[in-house]
């Protein structure tokens, strides 16, 4: 079973699905659905259409540079069948999927960090500017909590060795 990639959005095309367009120079374009085919006919650039894989790759939205993608790479040279290698590969697939999932989560959280920091700065600045709009009870409770904090000095206890040295 041969799985093709959509020329426009890079999604997987299963056998019996999609549309093929063959240009006069015999170049074949495969599309997963009519949405991609229509966008191609309108001469839209996939790198400028936000929902395509090319756009997400270009703008750093998706994790594209990772070693786990090496397993999905298309290989044109047929490999000799080896039962042990096939067994090891099948055992490794769930582990690879878990690693990819973890790395994807880390990539997304790293991508959101600057925005969260800016949002927190904006919120704190807004709070400072409009502190008078809050109810008096909240302001008094907040100030009281700050005043009740007590500083405690920690004194290192002397051990017998330290006491003898002095």
């Amino acid at each position: 079973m041969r799985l093709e990639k959509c020329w426009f959005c890079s999604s997987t095309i299963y056998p019996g699905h999609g549309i093929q367009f063959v240009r006069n120079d015999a170049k074949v374009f495969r599309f997963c659905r009519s949405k991609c085919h229509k966008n191609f006919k309108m001469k839209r650039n996939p790198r400028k259409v936000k929902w395509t894989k090319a756009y997400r790759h270009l703008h750093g939205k998706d994790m594209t540079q990772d070693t786990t993608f090496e397993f999905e790479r298309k290989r044109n040279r047929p490999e000799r069948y080896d039962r042990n290698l096939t067994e090891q590969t099948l055992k490794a697939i769930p582990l690879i999927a878990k690693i990819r999932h973890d790395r994807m989560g880390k990539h997304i959280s790293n991508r959101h960090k600057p925005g969260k920091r800016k949002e927190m700065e904006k919120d704190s600045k807004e709070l400072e500017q409009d502190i008078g709009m809050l109810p008096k009870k909240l302001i008094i409770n907040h100030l009281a909590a700050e005043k009740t904090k007590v500083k405690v000095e920690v004194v290192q206890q002397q051990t017998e060795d330290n006491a003898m040295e002095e």
Side-chain angles (χ1 to χ4, degrees), residues 17-157:
H17 293 262
I19 303 164
Q20 270 192 346
F21 173 73
V22 183
R23 207 164 50 188
N24 287 341
D25 62 352
K27 172 120 174 70
V28 178
F29 298 93
R30 291 180 175 86
F31 304 103
C32 58
R33 52 187 180 262
S34 61
K35 177 182 181 180
C36 296
H37 187 218
K38 288 175 184 174
N39 277 292
F40 174 79
K41 288 193 290 186
M42 287 190 279
K43 298 185 178 180
R44 287 204 176 135
N45 187 347
R47 289 173 288 179
K48 293 183 179 178
V49 180
K50 290 193 175 190
W51 51 269
T52 62
K53 202 96 160 167
Y55 175 90
R56 296 186 64 78
H57 168 72
L58 190 66
H59 292 87
K61 304 289 184 187
D62 276 343
M63 183 178 64
T64 53
Q65 301 296 327
D66 193 31
T67 54
T68 58
F69 292 121
E70 185 68 23
F71 294 100
E72 290 182 8
R73 190 172 51 110
K74 185 177 177 181
R75 292 165 184 85
N76 291 325
R77 193 177 74 238
E79 294 290 328
R80 182 168 283 179
Y81 178 76
D82 181 12
R83 185 178 205 142
N84 293 331
L85 180 66
T86 306
E87 186 178 327
Q88 289 174 346
T89 304
L90 290 174
K91 285 181 180 177
I93 287 173
L95 179 64
I96 292 165
K98 183 182 180 306
I99 291 169
R100 182 181 297 162
H101 181 74
D102 294 342
R103 288 181 181 174
M104 187 75 76
K106 200 175 287 184
H107 171 76
I108 290 170
S109 64
N110 288 340
R111 197 166 52 90
H112 288 290
K113 275 183 184 175
K116 285 183 181 177
R117 187 172 50 245
K118 284 182 183 176
E119 189 175 337
M120 287 292 288
E121 289 172 2
K122 187 184 85 170
D123 290 345
S124 64
K125 186 177 179 183
E126 185 179 346
L127 181 64
E128 287 173 13
Q129 288 176 349
D130 300 329
I131 194 84
M133 296 179 78
L134 291 175
K136 298 269 186 198
K137 290 180 182 178
L138 286 176
I139 297 171
I140 293 169
N141 290 342
H142 180 68
L143 293 174
E146 285 182 1
K147 288 181 181 177
T148 57
K149 291 180 185 175
V150 178
K151 292 183 180 178
V152 178
E153 284 188 35
V154 178
V155 179
Q156 185 179 10
Q157 294 180 353

